[in-house]
Amino acid sequence: MINHISQKVRLYNGVEMPWLGLGVHKSKEGAEVENAVLSAIETGYRSIDTATLYANESGVGKAVKASGIARGELFITTKIWNTDQGYESTFRAVETSLNKLQTDYLDLYLIHWSIGQRSVETWKAMEELYAQGKLRAIGVSNFLISHLQSLMAQVTVKPMVNQYEFHPNLTQPALYEFCRKHGIQSEAWRPIMKGLVNEIPLLNEMAAKYGKTPVQLVLRWDLQKGVVTIPKSVHPERIRSNADIFDFEIEEEDMKRIDSLDKNYRLGDDPNDLENLFLKYGKP
Ligand SMILES: NC(=O)c1ccc[n+]([C@@H]2O[C@H](COP(=O)([O-])OP(=O)(O)OC[C@H]3O[C@@H](n4cnc5c(N)ncnc54)[C@H](OP(=O)(O)O)[C@@H]3O)[C@@H](O)[C@H]2O)c1
């Protein structure tokens, strides 16, 4: 039973990753992200999920230093952006992230999106950095089954983590099962649907039964499904409330009721629609 914020899941390579982390997508570089990270660390979070795209790695690094918590107790994830993908450029991207984050290793480094064969080259560089110990664990994000199968057929090290959109309206059951079968840890992004879970009547009804909020219910559902979760907030009271999920257990029948809300409904970008991704963020 997961009953404390300090609890971690063991990835297949033995590295331990906290079940709960703070997401910082859209947390502004500077005071906003720094205060969010400090507030999370004070609450007991030990894992922070950033990305080159978020343009706030420097603020995360600054706050981590200011927190006074030993580096070894923290778990820092960042992601390579599409335009940095490729073999040589990956070494440069990792160096840049390390400098911004003021650290000499990353706990987890992810390919943010699969962009075809170039992602295989990216991965080969990541395998080398993993062997050198600069990356303690390596993984992917937004990889569908076909992306994972193609990558795994061409490389030596299997991803330790796949971070993908996962919430009550999008559970991607086949992908979830595939990851489970292959020992790839699932990690949920947009876990609370940007707060929209608070507007789903069934979740309100169920949350009341447990004396919790719909947000807390859904974050607990992640943990009981064996999915690492990284809700984002820049507000200390929400950061605290989002971590208040370790003192109750959702009954099996209620877990299934939450599962039944799946509508295959994406709030974010579709990993199969690279054209849209490139239109939105530029073609690498
Ligand atoms: N790999 C990827 O492609 C990818 C894509 C998207 C996200 N992510 C990662 O996943 C993390 C989480 O996803 P997300 O940020 O998109 O969405 P989310 O965590 O589902 O929702 C965050 C939003 O909900 C609000 N919120 C937070 N706590 C709340 C609460 N208790 N009640 C009501 N509203 C609340 C936040 O506002 P305030 O900040 O104003 O509190 C923010 O607007 C990201 O930060 C990022 O690290 C990864």
Side-chain angles (χ1 to χ4, degrees), residues 82 113-116 147 270-284:
N82 299 341
W113 293 89
S114 167
I115 57 165
H147 299 132
D270 183 343
N272 259 330
D273 192 355
L274 279 187
E275 214 165 293
N276 165 59
L277 202 69
F278 294 163
L279 262 177
K280 210 164 147 185
Y281 300 104
K283 199 167 173 169

Side-chain angles (χ1 to χ4, degrees), residues 63-262:
V64 159
K65 274 266 142 97
S67 75
I69 299 288
R71 173 68 185 88
E73 284 181 36
L74 295 162
F75 191 98
I76 301 176
T77 301
T78 192
K79 317 180 188 86
I80 188 162
W81 186 240
N82 299 341
T83 45
D84 291 327
Q85 287 207 46
Y87 180 76
E88 290 295 344
S89 46
T90 295
F91 293 97
R92 291 194 293 272
V94 168
E95 242 4 88
T96 305
S97 288
L98 289 172
N99 286 334
K100 289 191 170 167
L101 286 159
Q102 299 185 51
T103 179
D104 48 12
Y105 69 90
L106 295 166
D107 296 281
L108 178 63
Y109 196 64
L110 304 176
I111 297 185
H112 209 141
W113 293 89
S114 167
I115 57 165
Q117 204 52 27
R118 207 157 132 191
S119 294
V120 177
E121 298 311 311
T122 305
W123 189 261
K124 289 185 176 161
M126 286 167 63
E127 285 181 331
E128 286 182 32
L129 292 160
Y130 171 62
Q132 290 167 17
K134 277 201 176 173
L135 309 177
R136 291 181 69 229
I138 52 178
V140 295
S141 171
N142 299 304
F143 272 47
L144 301 174
I145 293 175
S146 58
H147 299 132
L148 286 166
Q149 282 171 328
S150 163
L151 180 74
M152 282 155 58
Q154 301 178 71
V155 300
T156 315
V157 181
K158 184 175 67 172
M160 282 124 215
V161 172
N162 186 15
Q163 181 186 111
Y164 49 91
E165 185 176 343
F166 183 93
H167 48 68
N169 283 171
L170 183 75
T171 56
Q172 311 202 55
L175 178 60
Y176 169 86
E177 273 313 317
F178 181 92
C179 290
R180 213 154 71 149
K181 198 172 118 206
H182 290 273
I184 300 168
Q185 177 61 45
S186 286
E187 181 177 21
W189 67 250
R190 203 141 300 164
I192 58 171
M193 301 173 68
K194 291 198 161 221
L196 287 176
V197 294
N198 283 330
E199 286 164 34
I200 299 177
L202 178 68
L203 295 178
N204 274 281
E205 181 199 308
M206 287 173 63
K209 167 176 162 187
Y210 292 96
K212 291 286 173 181
T213 66
V215 164
Q216 291 164 337
L217 181 78
V218 166
L219 293 172
R220 180 72 207 178
W221 167 76
D222 286 338
L223 304 188
Q224 289 184 217
K225 288 188 77 68
V227 175
V228 166
T229 193
I230 47 169
K232 176 262 178 184
S233 179
V234 293
H235 295 101
E237 67 283 5
R238 283 180 171 173
I239 290 170
R240 282 192 290 274
S241 158
N242 294 349
D244 187 10
I245 56 173
F246 296 97
D247 60 352
F248 74 114
E249 188 80 4
I250 305 171
E251 293 161 16
E252 207 40 56
E253 208 168 291
D254 289 335
M255 288 292 291
K256 290 194 186 122
R257 288 170 80 200
I258 304 177
D259 290 344
S260 75
L261 292 171
D262 181 34

